[in-house]
């Protein structure tokens, strides 16, 4: 175990400006946002801030009836918070590892539980996988993000990206799937022969099948989602 004097501890752990722009990894598990305007973040992810920043929960009708209806179906998993102002904002989510993506007029799907923050220039929409909502604990939903700007996603431990090609589809455990490219539309398949081996938290025999051309990001961990209480 490392032992420091207070002076050494402060020196070894203090915040440092890296000059990387709006989104900056202060540590692998702590995101610093050099805010000058507005960003969206996962509700409850704020750890600390300095400066003149106001926080506001996403308005019920802010994005129209369609998104409100989808939010009702998916519970609180995609609750978002707006941060407005000028200062430094620090975000984290249960010690998960953070990856920063710079979308350049591209689209990506992110598991609703793994979306940490994104710029206001990015358009987004909730996609509920209704076909399996009753089969998986709490259902399964994701957020489609599109445009130009920064997106921060989280994963338990190190993420792994698998390339999907037309002649080589990729199968994943839904609870270990973090994100995938915006042009892919996964389908759900069941194979009872895999029941003993796959997906302890995901209905055991359900897998996501990705076909076409793109990529899928997985994590070495199964997240178990709980259905919202009515």
């Amino acid at each position: 175990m490392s032992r420091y004097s207070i002076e050494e501890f402060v020196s070894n752990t203090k915040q440092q400006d890296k000059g990387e722009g709006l989104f900056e990894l202060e540590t692998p598990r702590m995101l610093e946002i050099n805010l000058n305007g507005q960003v969206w973040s996962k509700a409850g992810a704020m750890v600390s801030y300095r400066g003149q920043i106001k926080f506001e929960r996403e308005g019920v009708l802010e994005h129209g009836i369609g998104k409100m209806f989808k939010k009702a179906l998916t519970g609180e998993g995609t609750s978002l918070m707006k941060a407005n102002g000028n200062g430094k904002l620090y975000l984290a989510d249960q010690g998960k590892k953070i990856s920063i993506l710079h979308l350049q007029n591209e689209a990506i799907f992110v598991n609703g539980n793994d979306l940490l923050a994104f710029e206001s220039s990015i358009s987004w929409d909730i996609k509920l996988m209704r076909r399996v909502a009753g089969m998986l604990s709490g259902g399964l939903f994701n957020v489609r993000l599109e445009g130009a700007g920064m997106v921060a996603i989280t994963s338990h431990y190190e993420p792994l990206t698998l390339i999907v090609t037309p002649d080589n589809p990729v199968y994943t455990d839904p609870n270990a799937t973090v994100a995938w490219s915006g042009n892919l539309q996964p389908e759900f398949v069941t194979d009872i022969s895999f029941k003993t081996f796959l997906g302890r938290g995901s209905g055991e025999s359900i897998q996501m099948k990705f076909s076409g051309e793109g990529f899928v990001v997985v994590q070495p961990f199964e997240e178990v989602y709980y259905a919202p209480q009515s």
Side-chain angles (χ1 to χ4, degrees):
M1 184 171 108
S2 298
R3 298 185 181 184
Y4 302 110
S5 69
I6 289 178
E7 185 178 354
E8 289 171 328
F9 177 78
V10 171
S11 176
N12 286 341
T13 61
K14 70 180 179 183
Q15 179 265 336
Q16 298 178 7
D17 284 318
K18 300 176 183 176
E20 294 174 355
L22 178 64
F23 282 20
E24 189 173 292
L25 281 182
E26 191 61 33
T27 74
R29 302 170 195 281
M30 184 83 72
L31 177 69
E32 177 185 276
I33 299 179
N34 295 295
L35 188 61
N36 184 14
Q38 176 183 298
V39 295
W40 289 95
S41 77
K42 185 175 186 176
M46 190 275 287
V47 171
S48 179
Y49 72 93
R50 64 169 74 203
Q52 302 301 312
I53 300 177
K54 285 182 60 180
F55 300 96
E56 186 182 346
R57 286 292 288 264
E58 175 190 4
V60 173
L61 294 175
E62 186 159 343
H63 302 285
I65 294 291
K67 284 189 182 176
M68 183 185 73
F69 176 66
K70 282 181 281 191
K71 270 183 71 72
L73 288 175
T74 57
E76 286 297 304
T78 47
S79 288
L80 296 173
M81 173 179 72
K82 277 189 296 188
N84 281 288
N86 193 293
K88 288 185 181 294
L89 171 62
Y90 297 94
L91 303 177
D93 186 13
Q94 300 180 63
K96 293 162 71 174
K97 185 176 176 63
I98 301 168
S99 300
I100 299 174
L101 310 175
H102 187 192
L103 300 191
Q104 301 179 50
N105 294 313
E106 299 159 297
I108 188 170
F109 287 94
V110 181
N111 183 302
N113 205 44
D114 300 320
L115 179 61
L116 182 64
F118 57 95
E119 284 191 73
S120 57
S121 58
I122 300 286
S123 61
W124 61 277
D125 194 15
I126 298 169
K127 305 288 184 181
L128 176 66
M129 297 181 179
R130 289 183 180 82
R131 190 165 157 250
V132 293
M135 301 163 75
L136 298 177
S137 173
L140 188 71
F141 62 91
N142 53 74
V143 183
R144 189 177 194 273
L145 302 149
E146 184 172 17
M150 308 290 268
V151 176
I153 65 174
T154 60
S155 60
H156 286 277
Y157 312 106
E158 304 292 331
L160 174 69
T161 299
L162 304 169
I163 303 302
V164 181
T165 60
D167 60 344
N168 199 3
V170 171
Y171 297 81
T172 66
D173 179 331
N175 292 55
T177 306
V178 173
W180 58 93
S181 45
N183 59 309
L184 294 182
Q185 294 291 336
E187 58 179 301
F188 286 83
V189 296
T190 56
D191 187 335
I192 207 69
S193 67
F194 279 124
K195 187 169 184 178
T196 313
F197 306 105
L198 275 184
R200 289 174 300 281
S202 59
E204 294 176 331
S205 59
I206 305 169
Q207 300 130 51
M208 295 174 82
K209 178 183 179 182
F210 295 89
S211 304
E213 194 115 27
F215 64 86
V216 184
V217 182
V218 293
Q219 62 184 0
F221 185 92
E222 286 182 23
E223 293 193 65
V224 179
Y225 312 108
Y226 297 98
Q229 300 298 312
S230 56

